[in-house]
Amino acid sequence: MSLTPPDPERCQADVPGPGPFSLGWGPGGPGNPKDGYRTRCYAPPEYIVVEAQPNPTDGLCGSMSLCPECLAALEEQDGTLEGFVVHLVSQWVEAQQMLVEVDE
């Protein structure tokens, strides 16, 4: 199983979409009616959030890019960010580039 890597260009959180009767759909369209017209957040991310501990079922640590508003929503939903390591996108991109250079 592979995980989708964080996107340094766009927040990866699902947010309520405008619904089927909105005329000003964004790039994600109206959203999918099967999930309540949720669509991907349009904001540029400022953070990469990584699970602090691997998932016990697959052993993987999930990660995703989040804008400040979606990071606040995650903290509100979980009540804390203790289970996550939060990186600035700029630092994460720089670290990824250094890893690629080491591999070459």
Side-chain angles (χ1 to χ4, degrees):
M1 172 183 218
S2 64
L3 298 174
T4 302
D7 181 350
E9 304 297 322
R10 186 172 168 197
C11 179
Q12 291 177 301
D14 286 336
V15 297
F21 302 109
S22 175
L23 298 176
W25 293 344
N32 187 335
K34 293 180 182 177
D35 63 7
Y37 292 100
R38 296 186 72 76
T39 189
R40 188 168 161 194
C41 180
Y42 303 114
E46 290 186 26
Y47 305 100
I48 303 292
V49 179
V50 183
E51 291 176 311
Q53 298 293 320
N55 184 309
T57 55
D58 59 18
L60 301 174
C61 285
S63 60
M64 67 188 308
S65 57
L66 294 175
C67 67
E69 292 80 16
C70 290
L71 180 67
L74 171 64
E75 185 173 19
E76 183 178 320
Q77 174 183 306
D78 284 2
T80 181
L81 290 176
E82 285 183 23
F84 304 95
V85 178
V86 181
H87 304 276
L88 292 173
V89 168
S90 58
Q91 293 171 338
W92 182 84
V93 168
E94 186 176 302
Q96 297 303 308
Q97 290 170 343
M98 288 173 32
L99 287 173
V100 168
E101 290 172 6
V102 169
D103 286 342
E104 292 174 349

